[in-house]
Coordinates of all heavy atoms in Angstrom, one line a residue:
I13 N 4.3 15.4 0.8 CA 3.4 16.5 0.7 C 3.8 17.6 1.8 O 3.7 18.8 1.5 CB 2.0 16.0 0.9 CG1 1.6 15.1 -0.3 CG2 1.0 17.2 1.0 CD1 0.2 14.5 -0.2
I14 N 4.1 17.1 3.0 CA 4.4 18.1 4.1 C 5.7 18.8 3.8 O 5.8 20.0 4.0 CB 4.4 17.3 5.4 CG1 3.0 16.8 5.7 CG2 4.9 18.2 6.5 CD1 3.0 15.9 6.9
F15 N 6.7 18.1 3.5 CA 8.1 18.7 3.3 C 8.1 19.7 2.1 O 8.8 20.7 2.2 CB 9.1 17.6 3.1 CG 9.4 16.8 4.3 CD1 9.9 15.5 4.2 CD2 9.1 17.3 5.6 CE1 10.1 14.7 5.4 CE2 9.4 16.6 6.7 CZ 9.8 15.3 6.6
N16 N 7.3 19.4 1.1 CA 7.3 20.2 -0.1 C 6.2 21.3 -0.1 O 6.1 22.0 -1.0 CB 7.2 19.4 -1.4 CG 8.4 18.5 -1.6 OD1 9.5 18.8 -1.2 ND2 8.1 17.3 -2.2
A17 N 5.4 21.2 1.0 CA 4.3 22.2 1.2 C 3.4 22.2 0.0 O 3.1 23.3 -0.6 CB 4.9 23.6 1.5
E18 N 3.0 21.0 -0.5 CA 2.1 20.9 -1.6 C 0.7 21.3 -1.3 O 0.3 21.2 -0.1 CB 2.2 19.5 -2.2 CG 3.6 19.0 -2.6 CD 4.1 19.7 -3.8 OE1 3.3 20.5 -4.4 OE2 5.3 19.5 -4.2
G19 N 0.0 21.8 -2.3 CA -1.4 22.2 -2.1 C -2.4 21.1 -2.5 O -2.1 20.0 -2.8
W20 N -3.7 21.6 -2.5 CA -4.8 20.6 -2.8 C -4.7 20.1 -4.3 O -5.1 19.0 -4.5 CB -6.1 21.3 -2.6 CG -6.5 21.4 -1.1 CD1 -6.4 22.6 -0.4 CD2 -6.9 20.4 -0.2 NE1 -6.7 22.3 0.9 CE2 -7.1 21.0 1.0 CE3 -7.2 19.0 -0.4 CZ2 -7.5 20.3 2.1 CZ3 -7.6 18.3 0.7 CH2 -7.8 18.9 2.0
A21 N -4.2 21.0 -5.2 CA -4.1 20.5 -6.6 C -3.2 19.4 -6.7 O -3.5 18.4 -7.4 CB -3.7 21.7 -7.4
Y22 N -2.1 19.4 -6.0 CA -1.1 18.3 -6.1 C -1.7 17.1 -5.5 O -1.5 16.0 -6.0 CB 0.2 18.8 -5.3 CG 1.3 17.7 -5.3 CD1 2.2 17.6 -6.3 CD2 1.4 16.8 -4.2 CE1 3.2 16.6 -6.3 CE2 2.4 15.9 -4.2 CZ 3.3 15.8 -5.2 OH 4.2 14.8 -5.2
L23 N -2.4 17.2 -4.4 CA -3.0 16.1 -3.7 C -4.1 15.4 -4.6 O -4.1 14.2 -4.7 CB -3.7 16.5 -2.4 CG -4.4 15.4 -1.6 CD1 -3.4 14.4 -1.1 CD2 -5.1 16.1 -0.4
I24 N -4.9 16.2 -5.3 CA -5.9 15.6 -6.2 C -5.2 14.9 -7.4 O -5.7 13.9 -7.8 CB -6.8 16.8 -6.7 CG1 -7.6 17.3 -5.5 CG2 -7.8 16.2 -7.7 CD1 -8.5 18.5 -5.8
D25 N -4.1 15.5 -7.8 CA -3.4 14.9 -9.0 C -2.8 13.5 -8.7 O -2.8 12.6 -9.5 CB -2.4 15.8 -9.6 CG -3.0 17.0 -10.2 OD1 -4.2 17.0 -10.6 OD2 -2.3 18.1 -10.3
T26 N -2.2 13.4 -7.5 CA -1.5 12.2 -7.1 C -2.2 11.2 -6.3 O -1.8 10.1 -6.1 CB -0.2 12.6 -6.3 OG1 -0.6 13.4 -5.1 CG2 0.7 13.5 -7.1
L27 N -3.4 11.6 -5.8 CA -4.2 10.7 -5.0 C -4.6 9.4 -5.7 O -4.5 8.3 -5.1 CB -5.4 11.4 -4.4 CG -6.3 10.6 -3.4 CD1 -5.4 10.2 -2.2 CD2 -7.5 11.3 -3.0
P28 N -5.0 9.4 -6.9 CA -5.4 8.1 -7.6 C -4.1 7.2 -7.7 O -4.3 6.0 -7.6 CB -5.9 8.6 -9.0 CG -6.4 10.0 -8.8 CD -5.4 10.6 -7.7
I29 N -3.0 7.8 -8.0 CA -1.8 7.0 -8.0 C -1.4 6.4 -6.7 O -1.1 5.2 -6.6 CB -0.6 7.8 -8.6 CG1 -1.0 8.5 -9.9 CG2 0.6 6.9 -8.8 CD1 0.1 9.5 -10.3
F30 N -1.6 7.2 -5.6 CA -1.3 6.7 -4.3 C -2.3 5.6 -3.9 O -1.8 4.6 -3.3 CB -1.5 7.9 -3.3 CG -1.6 7.5 -1.9 CD1 -0.5 7.0 -1.2 CD2 -2.8 7.5 -1.2 CE1 -0.5 6.6 0.1 CE2 -2.9 7.0 0.1 CZ -1.8 6.6 0.8
L31 N -3.5 5.7 -4.2 CA -4.5 4.7 -3.9 C -4.2 3.4 -4.6 O -4.4 2.3 -4.1 CB -5.9 5.1 -4.2 CG -6.4 6.3 -3.4 CD1 -7.8 6.7 -3.8 CD2 -6.4 5.9 -1.9
G32 N -3.7 3.5 -5.9 CA -3.3 2.3 -6.6 C -2.2 1.6 -6.0 O -2.1 0.3 -5.8
G33 N -1.1 2.3 -5.5 CA 0.0 1.7 -4.8 C -0.4 1.2 -3.5 O 0.1 0.2 -3.0
L34 N -1.4 1.8 -2.8 CA -1.9 1.3 -1.5 C -2.6 0.0 -1.7 O -2.4 -0.9 -0.9 CB -2.8 2.4 -0.9 CG -3.4 2.0 0.5 CD1 -2.3 1.9 1.5 CD2 -4.5 3.0 0.9
F35 N -3.4 -0.1 -2.7 CA -4.0 -1.4 -3.0 C -3.0 -2.5 -3.3 O -3.2 -3.6 -2.9 CB -5.0 -1.3 -4.1 CG -5.8 -2.5 -4.4 CD1 -6.9 -2.9 -3.6 CD2 -5.5 -3.3 -5.5 CE1 -7.6 -4.0 -3.9 CE2 -6.2 -4.5 -5.8 CZ -7.2 -4.8 -5.0
A36 N -2.0 -2.1 -4.0 CA -0.9 -3.1 -4.3 C -0.2 -3.5 -3.1 O 0.1 -4.7 -2.9 CB 0.1 -2.5 -5.3
G37 N 0.0 -2.6 -2.2 CA 0.7 -3.0 -0.9 C -0.1 -3.9 -0.1 O 0.4 -4.8 0.6
I38 N -1.4 -3.6 0.0 CA -2.3 -4.5 0.7 C -2.4 -5.9 0.1 O -2.4 -6.9 0.8 CB -3.8 -3.9 0.8 CG1 -3.7 -2.6 1.6 CG2 -4.8 -4.9 1.4 CD1 -5.1 -1.9 1.6
L39 N -2.3 -5.9 -1.2 CA -2.3 -7.2 -1.9 C -1.0 -8.0 -1.6 O -1.0 -9.2 -1.5 CB -2.4 -7.0 -3.4 CG -2.8 -8.2 -4.3 CD1 -4.1 -8.8 -3.8 CD2 -2.9 -7.8 -5.7
V40 N 0.1 -7.3 -1.5 CA 1.4 -7.9 -1.1 C 1.2 -8.5 0.3 O 1.7 -9.7 0.6 CB 2.5 -6.9 -1.1 CG1 3.8 -7.5 -0.5 CG2 2.8 -6.5 -2.6
V41 N 0.7 -7.8 1.3 CA 0.5 -8.3 2.6 C -0.4 -9.5 2.7 O -0.1 -10.5 3.3 CB -0.1 -7.1 3.5 CG1 -0.5 -7.7 4.9 CG2 0.9 -6.0 3.7
I42 N -1.5 -9.5 1.9 CA -2.4 -10.6 2.0 C -1.7 -11.9 1.4 O -1.8 -13.0 1.9 CB -3.7 -10.3 1.2 CG1 -4.5 -9.2 1.9 CG2 -4.6 -11.5 1.0 CD1 -5.7 -8.7 1.2
T43 N -1.1 -11.7 0.2 CA -0.4 -12.8 -0.4 C 0.7 -13.4 0.4 O 0.7 -14.7 0.6 CB 0.1 -12.4 -1.8 OG1 -1.0 -11.9 -2.6 CG2 0.7 -13.6 -2.6
Y44 N 1.6 -12.6 0.9 CA 2.7 -13.1 1.7 C 2.2 -13.8 3.0 O 2.7 -14.8 3.5 CB 3.7 -12.0 2.0 CG 4.6 -11.7 0.9 CD1 4.4 -12.2 -0.4 CD2 5.6 -10.8 1.0 CE1 5.2 -11.9 -1.5 CE2 6.5 -10.5 0.0 CZ 6.2 -11.0 -1.3 OH 7.1 -10.7 -2.3
T45 N 1.1 -13.2 3.6 CA 0.6 -13.8 4.8 C 0.0 -15.2 4.5 O 0.2 -16.1 5.3 CB -0.5 -12.9 5.4 OG1 0.1 -11.6 5.7 CG2 -1.1 -13.4 6.7
S46 N -0.8 -15.3 3.5 CA -1.4 -16.6 3.1 C -0.4 -17.6 2.9 O -0.5 -18.8 3.4 CB -2.3 -16.4 1.9 OG -3.3 -15.4 2.1
I47 N 0.6 -17.3 2.1 CA 1.7 -18.3 1.8 C 2.4 -18.7 3.0 O 2.7 -19.9 3.3 CB 2.6 -17.8 0.7 CG1 1.9 -17.5 -0.6 CG2 3.8 -18.8 0.4 CD1 2.7 -16.9 -1.7
G48 N 2.8 -17.7 3.8 CA 3.6 -17.9 5.0 C 2.9 -18.8 6.0 O 3.5 -19.7 6.6
L49 N 1.6 -18.5 6.3 CA 0.9 -19.3 7.3 C 0.6 -20.7 6.8 O 0.6 -21.6 7.6 CB -0.4 -18.6 7.6 CG -0.3 -17.4 8.6 CD1 -1.7 -16.8 8.9 CD2 0.4 -17.8 9.9
A50 N 0.4 -20.8 5.5 CA 0.2 -22.2 4.9 C 1.4 -23.0 5.1 O 1.3 -24.2 5.5 CB -0.2 -22.1 3.5
L51 N 2.6 -22.5 4.9 CA 3.8 -23.2 5.1 C 4.1 -23.5 6.6 O 4.6 -24.5 6.9 CB 5.0 -22.4 4.5 CG 5.0 -22.3 3.0 CD1 6.1 -21.4 2.5 CD2 5.1 -23.7 2.3
S52 N 3.7 -22.6 7.4 CA 3.9 -22.8 8.9 C 3.0 -23.9 9.4 O 3.3 -24.5 10.4 CB 3.6 -21.5 9.6 OG 3.8 -21.6 11.0
S53 N 1.8 -24.1 8.8 CA 0.9 -25.0 9.3 C 1.2 -26.5 8.9 O 0.6 -27.4 9.5 CB -0.5 -24.7 8.8 OG -0.6 -24.9 7.4
I54 N 2.1 -26.7 8.0 CA 2.4 -28.1 7.6 C 3.6 -28.7 8.2 O 4.0 -29.8 7.9 CB 2.5 -28.1 6.0 CG1 3.8 -27.3 5.6 CG2 1.3 -27.6 5.3 CD1 4.0 -27.4 4.1
S55 N 4.2 -28.0 9.1 CA 5.4 -28.5 9.8 C 5.4 -28.1 11.3 O 4.7 -27.2 11.7 CB 6.7 -27.9 9.1 OG 7.8 -28.2 9.8
Q56 N 6.2 -28.8 12.0 CA 6.4 -28.5 13.4 C 7.7 -27.7 13.7 O 8.1 -27.4 14.8 CB 6.5 -29.8 14.2 CG 5.2 -30.6 14.2 CD 5.3 -31.8 15.1 OE1 6.1 -31.9 15.9 NE2 4.3 -32.7 14.9

């Protein structure tokens, strides 16, 4: 947005897509953290 000097119309159009990707990224973090810590807890 900054490099292309986009305006509010561009932000409104792409914000729902951005939020969907943001939720997907958070889901990746949660899933990988859960699996990794579970495997770390069963071994020395």
